[in-house]
mmCIF file of all heavy atoms in Angstrom:
data_model
loop_
_atom_site.group_PDB
_atom_site.id
_atom_site.type_symbol
_atom_site.label_atom_id
_atom_site.label_comp_id
_atom_site.label_asym_id
_atom_site.label_seq_id
_atom_site.Cartn_x
_atom_site.Cartn_y
_atom_site.Cartn_z
ATOM 1 N N SER A 1 -9.788 7.189 7.375
ATOM 2 C CA SER A 1 -10.736 8.127 7.968
ATOM 3 C C SER A 1 -11.650 8.609 6.851
ATOM 4 O O SER A 1 -11.450 8.260 5.689
ATOM 5 C CB SER A 1 -10.000 9.313 8.597
ATOM 6 O OG SER A 1 -10.891 10.105 9.368
ATOM 7 N N ALA A 2 -12.624 9.412 7.195
ATOM 8 C CA ALA A 2 -13.414 10.094 6.180
ATOM 9 C C ALA A 2 -12.541 11.187 5.578
ATOM 10 O O ALA A 2 -11.523 11.589 6.153
ATOM 11 C CB ALA A 2 -14.666 10.694 6.817
ATOM 12 N N ALA A 3 -12.929 11.678 4.409
ATOM 13 C CA ALA A 3 -12.236 12.827 3.825
ATOM 14 C C ALA A 3 -12.356 14.007 4.787
ATOM 15 O O ALA A 3 -13.323 14.113 5.553
ATOM 16 C CB ALA A 3 -12.851 13.169 2.474
ATOM 17 N N ALA A 4 -11.380 14.884 4.762
ATOM 18 C CA ALA A 4 -11.381 16.033 5.674
ATOM 19 C C ALA A 4 -12.665 16.856 5.537
ATOM 20 O O ALA A 4 -13.183 17.372 6.521
ATOM 21 C CB ALA A 4 -10.153 16.902 5.425
ATOM 22 N N SER A 5 -13.194 16.959 4.322
ATOM 23 C CA SER A 5 -14.423 17.731 4.113
ATOM 24 C C SER A 5 -15.642 17.078 4.759
ATOM 25 O O SER A 5 -16.694 17.705 4.873
ATOM 26 C CB SER A 5 -14.668 17.929 2.619
ATOM 27 O OG SER A 5 -14.704 16.688 1.948
ATOM 28 N N TYR A 6 -15.485 15.828 5.188
ATOM 29 C CA TYR A 6 -16.561 15.109 5.893
ATOM 30 C C TYR A 6 -16.172 14.836 7.349
ATOM 31 O O TYR A 6 -16.515 13.808 7.916
ATOM 32 C CB TYR A 6 -16.904 13.811 5.159
ATOM 33 C CG TYR A 6 -17.534 14.085 3.816
ATOM 34 C CD1 TYR A 6 -16.762 14.076 2.665
ATOM 35 C CD2 TYR A 6 -18.874 14.394 3.721
ATOM 36 C CE1 TYR A 6 -17.331 14.365 1.438
ATOM 37 C CE2 TYR A 6 -19.453 14.679 2.498
ATOM 38 C CZ TYR A 6 -18.670 14.666 1.355
ATOM 39 O OH TYR A 6 -19.228 14.961 0.130
ATOM 40 N N LYS A 7 -15.404 15.768 7.918
ATOM 41 C CA LYS A 7 -14.988 15.725 9.321
ATOM 42 C C LYS A 7 -14.009 14.596 9.635
ATOM 43 O O LYS A 7 -13.915 14.137 10.765
ATOM 44 C CB LYS A 7 -16.196 15.649 10.257
ATOM 45 C CG LYS A 7 -17.136 16.830 10.133
ATOM 46 C CD LYS A 7 -18.260 16.733 11.131
ATOM 47 C CE LYS A 7 -19.202 17.908 10.992
ATOM 48 N NZ LYS A 7 -20.279 17.859 11.957
ATOM 49 N N GLY A 8 -13.288 14.136 8.615
ATOM 50 C CA GLY A 8 -12.300 13.093 8.829
ATOM 51 C C GLY A 8 -10.916 13.670 9.054
ATOM 52 O O GLY A 8 -10.696 14.876 8.978
ATOM 53 N N ASP A 9 -9.982 12.788 9.322
ATOM 54 C CA ASP A 9 -8.582 13.139 9.531
ATOM 55 C C ASP A 9 -7.907 13.192 8.166
ATOM 56 O O ASP A 9 -7.683 12.158 7.530
ATOM 57 C CB ASP A 9 -7.926 12.081 10.434
ATOM 58 C CG ASP A 9 -6.472 12.358 10.717
ATOM 59 O OD1 ASP A 9 -5.846 13.188 10.018
ATOM 60 O OD2 ASP A 9 -5.937 11.726 11.647
ATOM 61 N N GLY A 10 -7.590 14.372 7.707
ATOM 62 C CA GLY A 10 -6.990 14.565 6.390
ATOM 63 C C GLY A 10 -5.619 13.947 6.218
ATOM 64 O O GLY A 10 -5.125 13.830 5.097
ATOM 65 N N SER A 11 -4.989 13.508 7.295
ATOM 66 C CA SER A 11 -3.669 12.872 7.186
ATOM 67 C C SER A 11 -3.789 11.371 6.899
ATOM 68 O O SER A 11 -2.787 10.704 6.709
ATOM 69 C CB SER A 11 -2.858 13.106 8.460
ATOM 70 O OG SER A 11 -3.396 12.362 9.540
ATOM 71 N N ARG A 12 -5.027 10.855 6.912
ATOM 72 C CA ARG A 12 -5.255 9.430 6.647
ATOM 73 C C ARG A 12 -5.901 9.246 5.272
ATOM 74 O O ARG A 12 -6.546 10.153 4.761
ATOM 75 C CB ARG A 12 -6.194 8.836 7.705
ATOM 76 C CG ARG A 12 -5.585 8.764 9.090
ATOM 77 C CD ARG A 12 -6.609 8.310 10.110
ATOM 78 N NE ARG A 12 -5.980 8.035 11.389
ATOM 79 C CZ ARG A 12 -6.156 6.918 12.078
ATOM 80 N NH1 ARG A 12 -6.961 5.973 11.632
ATOM 81 N NH2 ARG A 12 -5.547 6.743 13.218
ATOM 82 N N LEU A 13 -5.715 8.066 4.726
ATOM 83 C CA LEU A 13 -6.405 7.729 3.482
ATOM 84 C C LEU A 13 -7.901 7.680 3.726
ATOM 85 O O LEU A 13 -8.344 7.413 4.844
ATOM 86 C CB LEU A 13 -5.938 6.369 2.960
ATOM 87 C CG LEU A 13 -4.538 6.332 2.372
ATOM 88 C CD1 LEU A 13 -4.117 4.895 2.096
ATOM 89 C CD2 LEU A 13 -4.481 7.141 1.090
ATOM 90 N N ASN A 14 -8.678 7.920 2.681
ATOM 91 C CA ASN A 14 -10.127 7.858 2.796
ATOM 92 C C ASN A 14 -10.688 6.947 1.703
ATOM 93 O O ASN A 14 -9.983 6.618 0.747
ATOM 94 C CB ASN A 14 -10.737 9.267 2.746
ATOM 95 C CG ASN A 14 -10.418 9.972 1.453
ATOM 96 O OD1 ASN A 14 -10.841 9.546 0.386
ATOM 97 N ND2 ASN A 14 -9.677 11.075 1.537
ATOM 98 N N PRO A 15 -11.944 6.514 1.825
ATOM 99 C CA PRO A 15 -12.517 5.593 0.845
ATOM 100 C C PRO A 15 -12.505 6.129 -0.586
ATOM 101 O O PRO A 15 -12.290 5.369 -1.534
ATOM 102 C CB PRO A 15 -13.958 5.386 1.336
ATOM 103 C CG PRO A 15 -13.911 5.678 2.788
ATOM 104 C CD PRO A 15 -12.872 6.755 2.949
ATOM 105 N N GLU A 16 -12.706 7.443 -0.744
ATOM 106 C CA GLU A 16 -12.718 8.013 -2.087
ATOM 107 C C GLU A 16 -11.341 7.889 -2.749
ATOM 108 O O GLU A 16 -11.230 7.508 -3.918
ATOM 109 C CB GLU A 16 -13.152 9.484 -2.027
ATOM 110 C CG GLU A 16 -14.556 9.697 -1.495
ATOM 111 C CD GLU A 16 -14.677 9.738 0.033
ATOM 112 O OE1 GLU A 16 -13.661 9.566 0.748
ATOM 113 O OE2 GLU A 16 -15.798 9.940 0.515
ATOM 114 N N ALA A 17 -10.294 8.196 -1.997
ATOM 115 C CA ALA A 17 -8.931 8.081 -2.533
ATOM 116 C C ALA A 17 -8.596 6.622 -2.837
ATOM 117 O O ALA A 17 -7.952 6.319 -3.843
ATOM 118 C CB ALA A 17 -7.921 8.666 -1.545
ATOM 119 N N LEU A 18 -9.038 5.721 -1.980
ATOM 120 C CA LEU A 18 -8.783 4.297 -2.218
ATOM 121 C C LEU A 18 -9.519 3.796 -3.463
ATOM 122 O O LEU A 18 -8.998 2.968 -4.204
ATOM 123 C CB LEU A 18 -9.182 3.470 -0.999
ATOM 124 C CG LEU A 18 -8.311 3.672 0.238
ATOM 125 C CD1 LEU A 18 -8.927 2.964 1.440
ATOM 126 C CD2 LEU A 18 -6.899 3.183 -0.007
ATOM 127 N N PHE A 19 -10.715 4.304 -3.704
ATOM 128 C CA PHE A 19 -11.481 3.951 -4.897
ATOM 129 C C PHE A 19 -10.711 4.352 -6.155
ATOM 130 O O PHE A 19 -10.531 3.552 -7.080
ATOM 131 C CB PHE A 19 -12.847 4.652 -4.838
ATOM 132 C CG PHE A 19 -13.785 4.298 -5.947
ATOM 133 C CD1 PHE A 19 -14.526 3.132 -5.909
ATOM 134 C CD2 PHE A 19 -13.954 5.153 -7.018
ATOM 135 C CE1 PHE A 19 -15.414 2.815 -6.925
ATOM 136 C CE2 PHE A 19 -14.837 4.850 -8.038
ATOM 137 C CZ PHE A 19 -15.573 3.675 -7.995
ATOM 138 N N VAL A 20 -10.230 5.600 -6.175
ATOM 139 C CA VAL A 20 -9.453 6.088 -7.314
ATOM 140 C C VAL A 20 -8.166 5.276 -7.460
ATOM 141 O O VAL A 20 -7.777 4.884 -8.566
ATOM 142 C CB VAL A 20 -9.147 7.597 -7.161
ATOM 143 C CG1 VAL A 20 -8.209 8.087 -8.265
ATOM 144 C CG2 VAL A 20 -10.439 8.400 -7.165
ATOM 145 N N THR A 21 -7.513 4.974 -6.346
ATOM 146 C CA THR A 21 -6.279 4.195 -6.354
ATOM 147 C C THR A 21 -6.504 2.797 -6.915
ATOM 148 O O THR A 21 -5.682 2.288 -7.682
ATOM 149 C CB THR A 21 -5.686 4.110 -4.936
ATOM 150 O OG1 THR A 21 -5.442 5.434 -4.469
ATOM 151 C CG2 THR A 21 -4.403 3.312 -4.908
ATOM 152 N N ALA A 22 -7.610 2.172 -6.538
ATOM 153 C CA ALA A 22 -7.903 0.818 -7.032
ATOM 154 C C ALA A 22 -8.040 0.815 -8.544
ATOM 155 O O ALA A 22 -7.502 -0.070 -9.231
ATOM 156 C CB ALA A 22 -9.170 0.280 -6.378
ATOM 157 N N ILE A 23 -8.723 1.801 -9.091
ATOM 158 C CA ILE A 23 -8.908 1.854 -10.537
ATOM 159 C C ILE A 23 -7.598 2.190 -11.239
ATOM 160 O O ILE A 23 -7.224 1.556 -12.228
ATOM 161 C CB ILE A 23 -10.017 2.861 -10.892
ATOM 162 C CG1 ILE A 23 -11.346 2.341 -10.334
ATOM 163 C CG2 ILE A 23 -10.111 3.084 -12.395
ATOM 164 C CD1 ILE A 23 -12.433 3.354 -10.277
ATOM 165 N N SER A 24 -6.864 3.161 -10.726
ATOM 166 C CA SER A 24 -5.596 3.554 -11.321
ATOM 167 C C SER A 24 -4.594 2.399 -11.308
ATOM 168 O O SER A 24 -3.933 2.117 -12.317
ATOM 169 C CB SER A 24 -5.014 4.752 -10.572
ATOM 170 O OG SER A 24 -3.731 5.075 -11.048
ATOM 171 N N SER A 25 -4.479 1.719 -10.186
ATOM 172 C CA SER A 25 -3.494 0.633 -10.086
ATOM 173 C C SER A 25 -3.894 -0.574 -10.926
ATOM 174 O O SER A 25 -3.037 -1.238 -11.512
ATOM 175 C CB SER A 25 -3.253 0.246 -8.628
ATOM 176 O OG SER A 25 -4.437 -0.174 -8.007
ATOM 177 N N CYS A 26 -5.185 -0.862 -11.016
ATOM 178 C CA CYS A 26 -5.629 -1.974 -11.861
ATOM 179 C C CYS A 26 -5.324 -1.666 -13.330
ATOM 180 O O CYS A 26 -4.845 -2.527 -14.071
ATOM 181 C CB CYS A 26 -7.116 -2.248 -11.656
ATOM 182 S SG CYS A 26 -7.701 -3.717 -12.540
ATOM 183 N N GLN A 27 -5.614 -0.439 -13.755
ATOM 184 C CA GLN A 27 -5.304 -0.044 -15.134
ATOM 185 C C GLN A 27 -3.805 -0.163 -15.397
ATOM 186 O O GLN A 27 -3.385 -0.710 -16.419
ATOM 187 C CB GLN A 27 -5.766 1.395 -15.400
ATOM 188 C CG GLN A 27 -5.341 1.974 -16.738
ATOM 189 C CD GLN A 27 -6.049 1.385 -17.934
ATOM 190 O OE1 GLN A 27 -7.148 0.867 -17.821
ATOM 191 N NE2 GLN A 27 -5.420 1.446 -19.093
ATOM 192 N N ALA A 28 -2.984 0.329 -14.470
ATOM 193 C CA ALA A 28 -1.533 0.278 -14.643
ATOM 194 C C ALA A 28 -1.030 -1.161 -14.744
ATOM 195 O O ALA A 28 -0.267 -1.499 -15.652
ATOM 196 C CB ALA A 28 -0.835 0.996 -13.493
ATOM 197 N N LEU A 29 -1.462 -2.005 -13.817
ATOM 198 C CA LEU A 29 -0.982 -3.390 -13.818
ATOM 199 C C LEU A 29 -1.463 -4.160 -15.053
ATOM 200 O O LEU A 29 -0.714 -4.962 -15.617
ATOM 201 C CB LEU A 29 -1.408 -4.097 -12.536
ATOM 202 C CG LEU A 29 -0.733 -3.569 -11.269
ATOM 203 C CD1 LEU A 29 -1.406 -4.130 -10.029
ATOM 204 C CD2 LEU A 29 0.754 -3.889 -11.283
ATOM 205 N N THR A 30 -2.688 -3.891 -15.487
ATOM 206 C CA THR A 30 -3.197 -4.548 -16.699
ATOM 207 C C THR A 30 -2.433 -4.056 -17.914
ATOM 208 O O THR A 30 -2.045 -4.843 -18.780
ATOM 209 C CB THR A 30 -4.715 -4.299 -16.856
ATOM 210 O OG1 THR A 30 -5.376 -4.723 -15.663
ATOM 211 C CG2 THR A 30 -5.268 -5.067 -18.039
ATOM 212 N N TYR A 31 -2.176 -2.746 -17.987
ATOM 213 C CA TYR A 31 -1.406 -2.193 -19.099
ATOM 214 C C TYR A 31 0.002 -2.775 -19.143
ATOM 215 O O TYR A 31 0.478 -3.213 -20.189
ATOM 216 C CB TYR A 31 -1.332 -0.655 -19.014
ATOM 217 C CG TYR A 31 -0.562 -0.094 -20.175
ATOM 218 C CD1 TYR A 31 -1.187 0.140 -21.389
ATOM 219 C CD2 TYR A 31 0.809 0.149 -20.082
ATOM 220 C CE1 TYR A 31 -0.467 0.608 -22.481
ATOM 221 C CE2 TYR A 31 1.531 0.606 -21.159
ATOM 222 C CZ TYR A 31 0.894 0.839 -22.367
ATOM 223 O OH TYR A 31 1.620 1.284 -23.448
ATOM 224 N N LEU A 32 0.665 -2.798 -17.990
ATOM 225 C CA LEU A 32 2.038 -3.322 -17.951
ATOM 226 C C LEU A 32 2.090 -4.789 -18.340
ATOM 227 O O LEU A 32 3.016 -5.226 -19.041
ATOM 228 C CB LEU A 32 2.642 -3.094 -16.559
ATOM 229 C CG LEU A 32 2.870 -1.618 -16.200
ATOM 230 C CD1 LEU A 32 3.205 -1.468 -14.725
ATOM 231 C CD2 LEU A 32 3.946 -1.001 -17.087
ATOM 232 N N TYR A 33 1.098 -5.564 -17.938
ATOM 233 C CA TYR A 33 1.015 -6.974 -18.334
ATOM 234 C C TYR A 33 0.886 -7.095 -19.852
ATOM 235 O O TYR A 33 1.605 -7.864 -20.491
ATOM 236 C CB TYR A 33 -0.166 -7.645 -17.629
ATOM 237 C CG TYR A 33 -0.471 -9.021 -18.157
ATOM 238 C CD1 TYR A 33 0.310 -10.114 -17.800
ATOM 239 C CD2 TYR A 33 -1.529 -9.228 -19.034
ATOM 240 C CE1 TYR A 33 0.039 -11.382 -18.294
ATOM 241 C CE2 TYR A 33 -1.810 -10.484 -19.535
ATOM 242 C CZ TYR A 33 -1.022 -11.560 -19.163
ATOM 243 O OH TYR A 33 -1.288 -12.811 -19.660
ATOM 244 N N LEU A 34 -0.036 -6.320 -20.430
ATOM 245 C CA LEU A 34 -0.228 -6.379 -21.880
ATOM 246 C C LEU A 34 1.006 -5.895 -22.631
ATOM 247 O O LEU A 34 1.373 -6.463 -23.670
ATOM 248 C CB LEU A 34 -1.451 -5.546 -22.281
ATOM 249 C CG LEU A 34 -2.803 -6.072 -21.821
ATOM 250 C CD1 LEU A 34 -3.908 -5.081 -22.168
ATOM 251 C CD2 LEU A 34 -3.093 -7.440 -22.427
ATOM 252 N N ALA A 35 1.645 -4.849 -22.112
ATOM 253 C CA ALA A 35 2.858 -4.331 -22.754
ATOM 254 C C ALA A 35 3.972 -5.376 -22.725
ATOM 255 O O ALA A 35 4.670 -5.585 -23.725
ATOM 256 C CB ALA A 35 3.310 -3.048 -22.059
#
């Protein structure tokens, strides 16, 4: 859904959270691979 502040359902994931998640998870997986 959209973020709750944009009239979305706050109980669902939103594009902004998914964007942050994509970057965080890519960094983690790349770091763990290098480690």
Side-chain angles (χ1 to χ4, degrees):
S1 190
S5 56
Y6 293 97
K7 300 183 181 181
D9 180 345
S11 70
R12 292 174 171 230
L13 287 171
N14 60 64
E16 298 84 358
L18 291 171
F19 185 81
V20 174
T21 301
I23 295 165
S24 175
S25 59
C26 186
Q27 173 71 24
L29 292 169
T30 305
Y31 181 84
L32 293 169
Y33 170 77
L34 292 174

